[in-house]
Amino acid sequence: MKASELAALVGGELVGPDRSFSGVAPLDQPRADAVCYAEDAKGVVGEPGVLLAKMPIDGVSTVVVADPKRAFVRLLERCFVVPETPGIHPGASVDPTAKLGERVVVYPGVVVGAQCVIGDDTVLFPNVVLYPGTILGSNVRIHAGAVLGADGFSYDPSPDGPRKVPQLGCVRVEDGVEIGANTCIDRAFLGETVIGRQSKIDNLVQVGHNDQLGAGVILAAQVGLSGSVTVGDGVMMGGQVGVVDHVNIRSGVRLGGQAGVPFDMTEPGDFFGSPAMPLGLWKRAMLLLRRLPEMWLQIGRLERRIEELEENRSSHQLQDE
């Protein structure tokens, strides 16, 4: 492919020689036969064969675009992503009552339970497990080892110990969702656990029973949602965020890594810390936290000084008497 063809593909302008390329490479490891992209011209190291950038670089065949990364992704999608071959691998187990759409890809080790529904162009990577009754929309990608539809963690205390509460609901995943490896999404107690359209869930995430995730939700690795959590459209959670049960998180909330959410979040914005607090307040708290050892010593010195002053005052009073 030539740089001029790349420019036409991504709607950019070629500045420099019309070089050919056959691969892609990271910016810190450029190759003469590869395309790189640069968010900032200052980050260009060496001489890539072709560069996607916001401005031309002297001596480099540059395709100038407003958003280099987006253009690079478009190139990858068009020329370098090999589509999966539709079909059910012989090493998979699909219950005869399950309904599969068109062009579904089922890799070895996958288990699809009774009454499951899988939409068109959905891909199940090796060892994915869909418990009975799980519903998947179209263009869903579920990576290796993920489990959808396992029983929710629900027990009723009794004199004989915790008594299991039967989980009679299901999991429903809407169109365009991607779910990472070894993530677990529990079936509902009653009704549905819902993952909204175009949501993206990372590896090792736990979504509890009866949770309701809106559209375009982003959950990074090791996020843990307790049961009956409601998450609005476009909410983003960094790694290891934890949310207690029955909490409502409104649209537009962004939670930094390891944030803890013990209460409803009714305002959009960026939140950090445990319990989660607005970003500005969290920054001030962190500055104070770093000063705590010094402040503790200062308080100790002040207490001793106050004791000395009180002793001197008592001594003067006795002398006056």
Side-chain angles (χ1 to χ4, degrees), residues 1-5 14 17-23 31-35 48-50 61:
M1 191 174 189
K2 288 190 173 182
S4 57
E5 296 173 304
L14 174 62
D18 190 9
R19 295 178 180 174
S20 297
F21 63 90
S22 58
R31 301 198 316 266
D33 63 345
V35 176
V50 179
S61 179

Side-chain angles (χ1 to χ4, degrees), residues 30-208:
R31 301 198 316 266
D33 63 345
V35 176
C36 301
Y37 80 94
E39 298 282 7
D40 185 346
K42 297 178 182 178
V44 178
V45 177
E47 187 174 334
V50 179
L51 181 69
L52 285 161
K54 294 181 180 179
M55 59 185 66
I57 307 297
D58 291 340
V60 178
S61 179
T62 309
V63 174
V64 179
V65 291
D67 190 333
K69 184 174 183 180
R70 181 171 295 179
F72 190 72
V73 170
R74 187 173 181 184
L75 169 67
L76 296 180
E77 291 173 339
R78 180 67 65 88
C79 301
F80 292 96
V81 174
V82 179
E84 288 84 11
T85 302
I88 301 172
H89 192 278
S93 174
V94 179
D95 190 277
T97 64
K99 297 180 180 180
L100 277 65
E102 300 293 329
R103 300 173 299 280
V104 170
V105 181
V106 180
Y107 277 86
V110 170
V111 176
V112 178
Q115 306 299 324
C116 287
V117 177
I118 301 175
D120 298 343
D121 301 299
T122 287
V123 180
L124 306 181
F125 287 96
N127 300 319
V128 166
V129 175
L130 304 183
Y131 275 63
T134 298
I135 302 168
L136 305 181
S138 300
N139 293 294
V140 173
R141 292 170 66 84
I142 304 181
H143 290 274
V147 177
L148 278 66
D151 286 353
F153 191 70
S154 182
Y155 296 87
D156 184 38
S158 74
D160 298 325
R163 184 175 183 178
K164 184 177 179 62
V165 176
Q167 304 292 288
L168 306 180
C170 69
V171 171
R172 176 166 59 87
V173 177
E174 297 182 350
D175 297 348
V177 170
E178 185 157 7
I179 297 171
N182 294 322
T183 281
C184 295
I185 302 175
D186 290 346
R187 70 190 311 115
F189 165 41
L190 302 172
E192 299 178 329
T193 298
V194 178
I195 310 298
R197 60 181 179 81
Q198 295 296 330
S199 291
K200 311 300 179 185
I201 300 178
D202 199 357
N203 304 329
L204 296 168
V205 170
Q206 164 66 25
V207 178

Side-chain angles (χ1 to χ4, degrees), residues 243-276:
V243 182
V244 303
D245 57 298
H246 294 87
V247 159
N248 295 319
I249 301 175
R250 67 154 293 169
S251 300
V253 168
R254 294 180 294 269
L255 292 159
Q258 296 188 332
V261 183
F263 38 63
D264 289 351
M265 304 198 72
T266 59
E267 298 294 332
D270 297 335
F271 298 84
F272 283 76
S274 185

